[in-house]
Amino acid sequence: QVQLVESGGGLVEPGGSLRLSCAASGLTSEHYAIGWFRQAPGKEREGVSCISDYGGKTYYLGSVKGRFTISRDNAKNTVSLQMNSLKPEDTAVYYCATPGYGLGYDCRSWNLYHYWGQGTQVTVSS
């Protein structure tokens, strides 16, 4: 049974930082793409960032590029999202997700992400 467990959300002031972590278990493949999505109230879910099977290729949503950094530790089956210079518009529930297998060079095939965590709330407010 595949499980993704997120942690690290919370309340932070504008300009602050948070680090989200996601621990994956139960995956049959050792190599899988993994990413972070978010959904704000009244808005559609959007892909924020993803990292390829071996970590060699990353993708960032335009509005977070230069502020967020995704990384993975394959030995520990974890992926992290370091979020700096947070803005109120970053407020959302953040989800970790994976297709459960590799997507090759481009990890942005969002429709293939079938395994999801429960989500963690990130609130950016003064």
Side-chain angles (χ1 to χ4, degrees):
Q1 182 180 356
V2 176
Q3 277 195 317
L4 300 173
V5 180
E6 302 101 333
S7 61
L11 172 64
V12 64
E13 293 185 349
S17 298
L18 282 175
R19 185 176 181 87
L20 304 183
S21 294
C22 173
S25 62
L27 289 162
T28 57
S29 174
E30 293 183 354
H31 308 296
Y32 51 90
I34 193 163
W36 290 94
F37 296 73
R38 70 185 181 187
Q39 187 165 23
K43 295 188 177 181
E44 291 189 357
R45 186 175 61 199
E46 60 182 356
V48 175
S49 180
C50 63
I51 188 166
S52 63
D53 323 352
Y54 296 90
K57 180 67 176 177
T58 57
Y59 162 81
Y60 296 97
L61 183 67
S63 60
V64 308
K65 199 172 293 184
R67 300 188 296 120
F68 290 11
T69 303
I70 191 170
S71 60
R72 67 187 299 165
D73 184 333
N74 289 336
K76 296 181 179 178
N77 282 332
T78 59
V79 62
S80 297
L81 186 68
Q82 178 66 42
M83 305 186 296
N84 298 329
S85 302
L86 283 162
K87 304 176 181 180
E89 51 264 43
D90 294 318
T91 295
V93 178
Y94 283 71
Y95 299 90
C96 174
T98 178
Y101 50 86
L103 295 177
Y105 186 72
D106 192 342
C107 56
R108 293 176 293 171
S109 298
W110 304 131
N111 60 312
L112 298 178
Y113 282 69
H114 293 309
Y115 300 106
W116 294 82
Q118 80 286 354
T120 185
Q121 177 70 46
V122 172
T123 303
V124 184
S125 175
S126 54

